[in-house]
Amino acid sequence: MQTEELSGVVDRIIYHNEENGFTVFVLNTSRSHTALVKGHTPTLHAGEQVQVKGAWIVHPKFGKQFEAEQCSISLPTSALGIQKYLASGMIKGIGPVYAEKLVKKFGDKALEVIDKTPYRLHEVPGIGPKRVERIIAAWEDQKEISHIMVFLQEKDISPAYAAKIYKKYGMQSISVLHENPYRLADDIWGVGFKIADQIARNMGFALDSQKRISSGILYALSQETSNGNLYAQLDELKEKAVTLLELDQVEDSAHKMKCALHDLYNSDRIKLISHDENHFVGLALHYHSERGVANHIKQLIAHKSTLHFDIDAIYDQLRTSKDIALNEDQQRGILTCLQQKVTIITGGPGTGKTTLIKKLLSVLEDNKVTYKLAAPTGRAAKRITESTRRNASTLHRLLEFDVSTMRFKHNEQNALDLQLLIIDEASMIDIFLAHGVLKALPYHAHILLIGDIDQLPSVGAGNFLNDLIESEKVPTIRLTQIFRQAENSLIIQNAHRINKGEFPAFSLPDTKRDFIYIKEEQPENVRSHLERIYAKLGNKSDSVVLVPMNRGAVGTVALNHALQEILNPAEGEKHLVYGGTTFKIGDKVMQIRNNYDKIIFNGDIGIIEEINQSERSMVVCFSNQLVTYESTELDELVLAYAISIHKSQGSEFDTVIIPLFMQHFMLLQRNLIYTAITRAKKLCILIGQPKAIAMGINNNKGVSRNTFLKEFLINNLQCR
């Protein structure tokens, strides 16, 4: 194909993918000629003057198109082009109305006025001081972002990252990239090592650059964290880093790897732990978090309590209480947490954990004890508030995260004002949140951790609750008796059957039919089952489809697309397209990272309330909290009609639908199925192959995690 050049003014954008920069647009090459252009470009706006290099192709469906390989932008010079450019919404504070007013007042000098003499904007009717400030700030941002976009384009990097880089580093963006582009992987969410490495390589960083090898090692360790591990075996880490960095092509790569590890160790970026004749490497932050948890637990246990109770009188009260009947294990649980500084209570569904909490609160209030109720997620906190009729908060809100310092306000210097902290769904707490909680707990206080140890471990790294139990340093009470009112639920009966390695039952005497099994051998038939289920389902809003994985025909991505068509099919409504996902008003969405600026956290579920197509932003409602997302933040959201079982921890839904097939075999295990079923309050529908379900139930090995909290508590294991 012959390479050609076209130049002209962008008439309109037909499609733009924020994630990879792929754009389809109409280019006015003259007054009477237009061209349909497609290719990976910087972010374009109507009215901009562009030059594209590429070749003409004939698409079988859409006809003649120009396929651009390069695209450069210059500001429009004609009055009409400037008006289109300003009307596109690229400068906040200027829309179509003010674009027309500005061009009417200043003609083809409008952009020059904004850039050189912005005080003259006051001459335009309706533009006040606040709007002028917004326009000036947006213009400066856009100039710098454009500069970064051009720089990244020269390095063959998607323009989608430019705004994120500028938001993080501001005017220092280019100098940071020149000094050490590998910082992007640490500093900017969504920019992993591979993107940073691509930028660095295009900027001339060598394959065996010390900064590259060090960054690759840290990235390999961070990948371990995403699997729940806090440490990696040294030899395995080296192998993964060599493969990642392609160092098998580099001479003396073993020596260079050793030098990089020494540099990271000497600069206190990593720690080395030797245990059972094996060597483990972990990030210093992870080591200090786990070591800190162990130290605080020991200090809590050693420190004298300021609480004093008449235990005999309370025991008599618990034993003879008529309003809330407790079994012996529940009574022992309450008495233990009143006498011990740290207590764990664990049990499955229907074993009376909530009843225990309600009676404990009554005892605490009778004895004038100051306490706080908390849970790791908003949905879990809401549930405990509803069941106890006492206020409960998320742990993040309890600790009060300070965005200015990126730390919790409550810590060793500013402890929580309480005598007893009760945390529900404690199996969800990762090591970092555990460290934050324990730092904020005064040493005289008690802490009660309540959870179901048979569920999946925390989504975040570490194995806090399980390691604590296995250390045997903390009193642990296990609730096993299923209460009579829970016995008539097939959901609860089957949860316990699965936990014992038994296949679920689909009808039992004197039980509600709240558990349904649909045998299905073909994954592609799941959609038709979902259509029939949702056609009959009353409360569709409090329902969810839970699956083991994100990819595949029965993964969250494919199912969310299908469920959006079933549950929110409205065409022509306002929408935004990002990374292959179409977001529409009314869609259920989930936050997939902790965002401390917005006080919205990984796993929070909300509904899209508003969409602004011109500014590519939207407003999501999370439990009555309205949160705005700019275009650069849309990668923090995914559709949430279907979510992974891991992400469902701490939540409950009226209806839970669980498709399980052999394509999930890598993840099928007993605690995964158990966790999914225990998310259902009123109805659980299991769809899938008997072989896949049986495989999961029979697999009770679980996945071990590389953690050392147990060893830190038992024998004070030290790093080297």
Side-chain angles (χ1 to χ4, degrees), residues 26 38 40 151 163 191 203 211 261 268 271 354 363 371 409 459 472 540 558 590 592 611 616 623 632 677 713:
V26 176
K38 68 175 184 178
H40 295 271
F151 175 83
V191 178
M203 290 176 65
K211 286 178 179 176
L261 284 164
D268 203 31
K271 295 289 186 182
T354 301
V363 171
Y371 66 86
K409 289 182 181 178
V459 174
E472 298 183 354
K540 295 178 176 64
M590 182 171 65
I592 58 171
I611 287 178
R616 288 190 57 78
S623 301
T632 56
I677 287 173
L713 286 166

Side-chain angles (χ1 to χ4, degrees), residues 193 215-225 232 237 240-241 244:
F193 170 79
S215 183
I217 292 169
L218 295 175
Y219 175 73
L221 278 173
S222 73
Q223 290 299 98
E224 291 295 315
T225 307
L237 176 65
K240 289 177 181 177
L244 170 73

Side-chain angles (χ1 to χ4, degrees), residues 18 27 42 64 144 154 161 191 277 291 315 392 412 475 481 484 491 499 524 585 610 709:
E18 292 272 356
L27 182 68
K64 191 177 181 182
E144 188 63 24
E154 291 170 352
Y161 297 108
V191 178
E277 298 182 359
R291 168 65 68 184
Y315 175 58
E412 296 99 328
Q481 180 186 332
R484 186 175 300 168
I491 294 173
N499 210 17
E524 57 269 23
I585 290 174
E610 299 174 27
L709 177 59

Side-chain angles (χ1 to χ4, degrees), residues 384-401:
I384 195 170
T385 296
E386 291 170 349
S387 62
T388 65
R389 297 185 180 178
R390 272 84 159 185
N391 182 54
S393 69
T394 65
L395 289 170
H396 287 91
R397 286 188 172 85
L398 177 71
L399 301 176
E400 297 182 58
F401 194 84

Side-chain angles (χ1 to χ4, degrees), residues 45-61:
H45 300 90
E48 285 180 318
Q49 186 82 32
V50 300
Q51 295 80 41
V52 289
K53 286 184 181 180
W56 289 100
I57 62 167
V58 178
H59 191 280
K61 183 177 180 181

Side-chain angles (χ1 to χ4, degrees), residues 11 30 111 168 181 206 235 309 375 391 488 503 518 527 557 585:
D11 180 68
S30 68
L111 293 181
K168 177 66 181 178
D235 290 340
F309 301 96
N391 182 54
N488 70 344
F503 205 84
I518 301 172
R527 174 169 179 149
V557 176
I585 290 174

Side-chain angles (χ1 to χ4, degrees), residues 52-117:
V52 289
K53 286 184 181 180
W56 289 100
I57 62 167
V58 178
H59 191 280
K61 183 177 180 181
F62 301 110
K64 191 177 181 182
Q65 300 176 343
F66 190 82
E67 194 166 63
E69 294 177 357
Q70 294 180 18
C71 177
S72 57
I73 307 170
S74 55
L75 292 173
T77 54
S78 69
L80 182 60
I82 290 170
Q83 184 170 332
K84 274 196 170 188
Y85 178 68
L86 293 174
S88 69
M90 60 81 61
I91 300 176
K92 287 185 179 178
I94 302 177
V97 173
Y98 284 105
E100 185 179 353
K101 287 183 177 182
L102 281 162
V103 171
K104 187 175 181 180
K105 176 67 179 176
F106 301 116
D108 60 9
K109 303 294 183 187
L111 293 181
E112 189 179 326
V113 168
I114 295 171
D115 190 38
K116 302 279 177 44
T117 55

Side-chain angles (χ1 to χ4, degrees), residues 445-460:
H446 294 218
I447 183 170
L448 170 60
L449 301 165
I450 302 171
D452 186 347
I453 200 62
D454 294 315
Q455 288 185 26
L456 290 166
S458 60
V459 174

